[in-house]
């Protein structure tokens, strides 16, 4: 059984799920702007975020000039400006449509140690107010796959090697034509860094992620399913489409579906 203290929202399809999450994120940002001059947001980059970002990029009530943007991970080994880069995705799907106070992009072509240090310093300059994230097919959050996930990680940003299931997902998502095209390494914000965010909004779509969703919500809190740690965060709101939630009991689905 799911503990209903979790803020779980289930919708019929990806579009309605993303829009609901977008509205909730929008309301959170507007509320934060009542008391803060600088709102610091970490964005995920994946097809599951398309509708959420589309909604946010068209918002007429968010003052984006008070928002500093980060992203949570980036492939290593791709050419600068490659369309598969998460920075390129975010530029296409939101950043080019809004006027941010600042955006801090992970430079995948820089010296790795220097870039880890630079991005760590930027993240440590202030609190993270909002984190927009998802859950991977292997239960990862950002690129914290089960083999490298660490709930007590002392690093803020680190280099990781992507596991096989993670790389397969990138093909399933249509981001790369084949497994061999998917980079083997990436930079990622660590799990403690993500959990330091004050408000987390987790959007998960599709049946391929339903097993990870079930494990995250009903299984033990373990790095075998890194997303399970999200259930310990007081302000994490989950947004699923029916397909992602399909392995949970039908009676719970009927209680939650909007």
């Amino acid at each position: 059984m799911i503990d209903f203290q979790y803020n779980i929202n289930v919708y019929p399809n990806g579009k309605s799920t993303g829009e609901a999450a977008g509205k909730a994120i929008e309301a959170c940002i507007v509320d934060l702007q009542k008391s803060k001059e600088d709102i610091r947001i970490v964005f995920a980059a994946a097809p599951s975020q398309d509708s959420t970002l589309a909604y946010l990029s068209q918002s007429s009530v968010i003052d984006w000039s008070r928002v500093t943007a980060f992203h949570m991970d980036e492939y290593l080994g791709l050419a600068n400006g490659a369309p598969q880069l998460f920075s390129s995705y975010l530029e296409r799907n939101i950043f080019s449509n809004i006027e941010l106070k600042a955006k801090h992009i992970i430079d995948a072509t820089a010296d790795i140690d220097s870039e880890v240090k630079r991005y760590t310093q930027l993240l440590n300059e202030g609190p993270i107010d909002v984190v927009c994230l998802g859950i991977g097919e292997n239960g990862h959050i950002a690129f914290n796959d089960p083999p490298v996930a660490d709930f007590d990680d002392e690093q803020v940003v680190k280099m990781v090697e992507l596991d096989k299931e993670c790389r397969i997902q990138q093909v399933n998502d249509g981001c790369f034509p084949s497994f061999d095209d998917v980079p083997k390494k990436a930079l990622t914000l660590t799990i403690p860094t993500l959990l330091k965010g004050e408000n987390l909004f987790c959007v998960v779509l599709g049946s391929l992620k339903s097993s990870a969703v079930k494990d995250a919500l009903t299984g033990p809190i373990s790095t075998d399913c890194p997303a399970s740690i999200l259930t310990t965060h007081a302000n994490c709101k989950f947004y699923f489409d029916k397909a992602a939630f399909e392995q949970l009991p039908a009676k719970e689905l009927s209680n939650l579906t909007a």
Side-chain angles (χ1 to χ4, degrees), residues 212-234:
V213 168
K214 181 180 179 181
D215 290 344
L217 296 182
T218 66
I221 297 172
S222 165
T223 54
D224 290 341
C225 179
S228 62
I229 195 68
L230 296 176
T231 63
T232 69
H233 193 287

Side-chain angles (χ1 to χ4, degrees), residues 44 46 48-49 72 132-145 169-170 173 201-206 208-217 224-231 236-240 244-245:
S48 61
Q49 306 296 310
M72 61 178 52
C132 304
L133 74 160
I135 296 174
E137 293 174 19
N138 63 357
H140 73 201
I141 47 178
F143 270 145
N144 296 283
D145 294 331
Q169 178 186 325
Q170 311 312 311
D173 282 349
F201 296 88
C202 183
V203 180
V204 191
L205 308 179
L208 291 175
K209 297 183 178 181
S210 62
S211 179
V213 168
K214 181 180 179 181
D215 290 344
L217 296 182
D224 290 341
C225 179
S228 62
I229 195 68
L230 296 176
T231 63
C236 182
K237 299 177 174 64
F238 296 93
Y239 295 82
F240 305 113
F245 206 73

